[in-house]
């Protein structure tokens, strides 16, 4: 099982803080693609070009491998001022 977390604008767009997924995916990007198919808001929130991913609390490329038991967090790039 994968624990998937959503933060900031990503969470606001889809209205979900976290979910658990039983399916297996080879990479975080494959998981992202699967979730983006849930509807228009999901596709917008999970646009590849506007998204960062952390696997087990470490920032990683979207193409990084994931395995059962991992925690995957999706969030937009952070800007400051």
């Amino acid at each position: 099982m994968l624990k998937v977390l959503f933060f900031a604008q990503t969470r606001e767009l889809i209205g979900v803080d976290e979910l658990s997924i039983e399916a297996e995916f080879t990479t975080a990007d494959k998981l992202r693609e699967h979730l983006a198919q849930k509807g228009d808001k999901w596709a917008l929130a999970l646009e590849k070009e506007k998204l960062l991913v952390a696997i087990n609390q470490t920032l990683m490329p979207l193409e990084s491998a994931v395995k059962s038991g991992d925690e995957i967090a999706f969030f937009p790039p952070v800007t400051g001022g």
Side-chain angles (χ1 to χ4, degrees):
M1 177 169 32
L2 298 172
K3 181 177 181 179
V4 186
L5 306 173
F6 305 97
F7 293 97
Q9 185 180 14
T10 304
R11 176 180 60 208
E12 292 168 13
L13 282 169
I14 61 174
V16 174
D17 291 340
E18 72 176 65
L19 46 90
S20 297
I21 297 182
E22 290 287 339
E24 293 193 24
F25 299 92
T26 55
T27 66
D29 194 42
K30 294 291 184 189
L31 170 61
R32 181 199 63 78
E33 289 173 356
H34 170 77
L35 293 171
Q37 294 176 14
K38 289 170 105 19
D40 291 343
K41 288 181 182 180
W42 287 81
L44 179 62
L46 297 171
E47 285 183 54
K48 187 174 185 172
E49 298 77 24
K50 300 177 184 175
L51 198 66
L52 296 175
V53 65
I55 301 171
N56 300 320
Q57 300 182 3
T58 301
L59 191 61
M60 304 286 285
L62 277 167
E63 295 77 22
S64 298
V66 296
K67 63 184 181 322
S68 182
D70 282 349
E71 176 188 271
I72 295 93
F74 291 110
F75 53 97
V78 179
T79 59

